[in-house]
């Protein structure tokens, strides 16, 4: 036990104060955006909104939820997250498990491991990447957003290191009971890897949800943009010529700034809802998957 001295109390107070200030700094932008989204057009335009809505109104959200482009991009983003996460997790497990074996169990394990590591160290570049995807014929489809990054090597490294930390006696006992590698993987390794799998799942979901650049260059039609790409385009410009008369009236009542704030908050809301359920696994999964025996 540490002595509860005055110096220790001072250090704890300073440490807690610093962490509290850092947390508030991270939360402040989100609260500011939320306050703007619930404020009136005049208050937001005049810069009167800080951390609390001024002239509270929900017109911005009414306008956004009636916008077909926003709803369409939101659905595309959900489809991308569902398909991309399922594909990434399946391939991550299937790649990490054999690579976690020793060389005597998997003869060319080291060569394959370095093959995947080289993809992190060396990149073909944006133009070859684009030309390869174009040559496959999947441009302007959902597959163009999920197939190029189907095997996230960083997640593979985390998971294979976790697999290597599990007692080998568990797998050997499964072999004695007549199970093969497939049985050992799905009945032993997967159930014991919930913390690491939850962490990797969180990485994957956030990565797919926040990705916008690939949607911008791989989707030929704005109707196929995922939500992050759609938000990026409206944050840089709004095409006033494409608005109907009713939309123009609503936008005048709402203001460009409050509408953007509402869309940004709605775009971040799904991740804010998912994270608390996976957060308890997050630190544990990172620690267990980052240490190699």
């Amino acid at each position: 036990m540490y002595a509860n001295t005055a110096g220790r109390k001072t250090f704890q107070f300073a440490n807690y104060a610093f962490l509290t200030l850092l947390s508030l700094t991270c939360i402040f932008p989100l609260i500011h955006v939320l306050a703007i989204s619930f404020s009136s057009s005049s208050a937001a335009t005049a810069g009167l909104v800080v951390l609390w809505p001024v002239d509270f109104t929900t017109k911005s959200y009414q306008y956004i939820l009636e916008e077909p482009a926003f709803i369409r991009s939101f659905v595309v983003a959900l489809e991308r997250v569902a398909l991309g996460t399922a594909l990434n997790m399946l391939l991550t497990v299937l790649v990490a498990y054999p690579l976690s074996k020793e060389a005597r169990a998997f003869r060319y394990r080291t060569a394959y491991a370095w093959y995947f590591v080289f993809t992190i160290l060396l990149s073909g570049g944006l133009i070859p990447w684009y030309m390869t995807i174009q040559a496959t014929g999947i441009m302007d489809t959902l597959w163009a957003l999920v197939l190029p990054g189907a095997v996230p090597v960083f997640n593979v490294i985390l998971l294979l290191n976790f697999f290597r930390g599990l007692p080998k006696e568990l797998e050997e006992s499964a072999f004695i009971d007549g199970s093969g590698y497939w049985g050992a993987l799905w009945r032993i390794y997967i159930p014991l890897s919930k913390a690491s799998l939850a962490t990797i799942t969180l990485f994957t979901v956030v990565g797919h949800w926040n990705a916008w650049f690939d949607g911008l260059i791989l989707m030929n039609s704005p109707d196929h943009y995922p939500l992050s790409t759609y938000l990026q385009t409206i944050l840089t410009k709004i095409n006033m010529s494409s608005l109907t008369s009713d939309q123009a009236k609503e936008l005048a009542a709402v203001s460009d700034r409050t509408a953007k704030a509402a869309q940004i908050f709605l775009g971040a809301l799904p991740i804010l809802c998912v994270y608390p359920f996976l957060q308890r696994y997050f630190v544990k999964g990172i620690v267990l998957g980052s240490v190699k025996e």
Side-chain angles (χ1 to χ4, degrees):
M1 294 292 295
Y2 290 101
N4 197 16
T5 61
R8 179 167 177 77
K9 290 181 179 179
T10 303
F11 171 78
Q12 288 181 333
F13 175 79
N15 194 24
Y16 287 138
F18 172 75
L19 292 177
T20 301
L21 181 61
L22 183 63
S23 300
L24 293 176
T25 303
C26 296
I27 297 174
F28 175 82
L30 182 62
I31 297 177
H32 179 62
V33 169
L34 181 62
I36 292 177
S37 68
F38 282 114
S39 299
S40 65
S41 172
S42 58
T45 304
L48 302 177
V49 184
V50 183
L51 296 177
W52 194 258
V54 178
D55 299 332
F56 183 86
T57 178
T58 59
K59 289 184 178 180
S60 296
Y61 290 93
Q62 294 174 6
Y63 168 76
I64 296 305
L65 295 177
E66 294 174 356
E67 178 64 31
F70 178 84
I71 301 300
R72 186 168 52 246
S73 64
F74 194 90
V75 173
V76 173
L78 291 178
E79 293 175 346
R80 173 179 184 169
V81 169
L83 178 60
T85 301
L87 184 63
N88 288 156
M89 294 306 298
L90 176 63
L91 295 180
T92 297
V93 171
L94 294 181
V95 172
Y97 179 62
L99 292 182
S100 66
K101 303 302 174 187
E102 297 179 354
R104 57 189 177 87
F106 182 20
R107 184 176 179 182
Y108 299 106
R109 178 257 175 199
T110 304
Y112 282 111
W114 277 108
Y115 173 81
F116 284 103
V117 170
F118 279 139
T119 63
I120 297 179
L121 304 177
L122 303 175
S123 174
L126 179 61
I127 295 178
W129 173 79
Y130 178 85
M131 294 178 64
T132 301
I133 297 175
Q134 187 179 44
T136 60
I138 60 174
M139 292 286 291
D140 204 33
T141 67
L142 189 62
W143 292 108
L145 302 178
V146 298
L147 284 182
V151 182
V153 181
F154 177 76
N155 294 346
V156 170
I157 294 175
L158 284 179
L159 191 58
L160 76 86
N161 283 332
F162 180 82
F163 282 165
R164 296 188 71 180
L166 295 177
K168 295 180 176 58
E169 291 78 9
L170 295 175
E171 187 178 52
E172 293 173 356
S173 65
F175 292 159
I176 295 175
D177 291 338
S179 179
Y181 284 107
W182 282 104
L185 172 62
W186 299 112
R187 296 173 186 171
I188 296 178
Y189 280 81
I190 298 300
L192 294 176
S193 306
K194 291 181 180 179
S196 286
L197 291 175
T199 302
I200 294 172
T201 300
L202 181 62
F203 282 157
T204 305
V205 170
V206 173
H208 279 294
W209 187 263
N210 289 337
W212 65 270
F213 184 70
D214 53 354
L216 186 65
I217 64 175
L218 298 179
M219 298 293 106
N220 298 325
S221 171
D223 292 342
H224 297 159
Y225 282 171
L227 182 61
S228 294
T229 304
Y230 169 75
L231 291 177
Q232 196 276 337
T233 58
I234 67 164
L235 288 176
T236 54
K237 64 179 180 179
I238 287 186
N239 186 5
M240 299 299 295
S241 62
S242 64
L243 298 178
T244 64
S245 58
D246 293 336
Q247 289 176 328
K249 293 178 181 179
E250 291 178 358
L251 187 59
V254 169
S255 92
D256 179 28
R257 190 176 182 188
T258 58
K260 290 178 178 179
Q263 293 181 80
I264 291 172
F265 182 76
L266 288 177
L269 186 60
I271 298 300
L272 295 176
C273 294
V274 170
Y275 185 80
F277 296 99
L278 298 177
Q279 188 270 341
R280 65 193 183 102
Y281 296 107
F282 186 73
V283 175
K284 182 180 179 182
I286 286 294
V287 173
L288 293 177
S290 60
V291 179
K292 178 181 176 182
E293 287 190 341

